[in-house]
Amino acid sequence: ENQQVATEKAELLQQQEEEQRLFEEKRRREAEEKEVQEQERQEEELRQQKQLEEEEECRLRELQEAEGKRRRDAEEDEKEELRRREQEEEQKQREMEEESRRRQEEDEEHRRRELEEEA
């Protein structure tokens, strides 16, 4: 009887140790799983942050390129306007010179006629 009680106690103790071992194994696996999930979450967070930064850099580059193009276009428009004004001025100058020559020729023609009439 004592032998049987001792055997049952030993089996019970062995069973409790096995249950304790399985329980600790389960807790260890859950802790590892939780750690892996946390690491994956942090990696995903980092990846998203990096993606946001890249998108922001891309938008900034596009804005800078657009601003540069706008500035170049404005400068080109300004140069074109200056060329147009210069051409208008040259055209006015030519017209004034042409008008002056025409008047001078008319005056000379008029004087020539007057001299012919007097003669």
Side-chain angles (χ1 to χ4, degrees):
E1 213 172 282
N2 281 344
Q3 180 75 27
Q4 187 178 352
V5 169
T7 302
E8 286 175 3
K9 278 185 178 179
E11 286 176 357
L12 188 59
L13 185 61
Q14 191 175 8
Q15 185 180 350
Q16 286 176 339
E17 287 173 351
E18 180 65 17
E19 286 175 0
Q20 183 66 28
R21 188 187 64 74
L22 289 173
F23 178 75
E24 288 174 3
E25 177 72 21
K26 182 181 174 188
R27 280 183 45 194
R28 185 184 58 74
R29 270 199 317 274
E30 287 173 349
E32 286 176 356
E33 214 172 281
K34 201 171 184 181
E35 192 176 313
V36 166
Q37 288 174 348
E38 177 62 18
Q39 189 174 352
E40 288 173 350
R41 185 193 65 76
Q42 288 177 355
E43 288 172 357
E44 178 62 18
E45 203 173 277
L46 250 162
R47 186 192 65 73
Q48 289 178 353
Q49 181 66 28
K50 186 175 181 184
Q51 183 178 350
L52 284 173
E53 289 171 0
E54 288 172 356
E55 290 171 359
E56 184 62 28
E57 287 174 8
C58 184
R59 277 194 295 274
L60 187 59
R61 252 192 324 277
E62 288 172 353
L63 281 173
Q64 289 171 339
E65 289 170 4
E67 177 61 21
K69 183 181 183 323
R70 188 197 61 75
R71 196 177 306 117
R72 286 189 302 278
D73 288 350
E75 288 171 0
E76 191 56 40
D77 289 349
E78 202 173 298
K79 288 177 187 175
E80 188 60 38
E81 178 65 18
L82 188 59
R83 280 193 290 271
R84 188 187 61 74
R85 283 189 200 148
E86 288 173 351
Q87 288 174 347
E88 285 177 0
E89 282 297 316
E90 290 170 2
Q91 180 66 24
K92 283 180 187 175
Q93 188 65 33
R94 282 193 299 272
E95 289 172 0
M96 286 171 58
E97 289 171 359
E98 183 64 32
E99 179 66 20
S100 177
R101 269 194 300 279
R102 191 183 58 74
R103 281 190 187 138
Q104 191 175 356
E105 288 173 2
E106 286 177 359
D107 289 348
E108 288 174 2
E109 180 66 24
H110 185 70
R111 269 187 249 121
R112 188 183 58 78
R113 283 192 194 135
E114 284 180 347
L115 290 174
E116 283 179 359
E117 287 174 9
E118 287 176 10

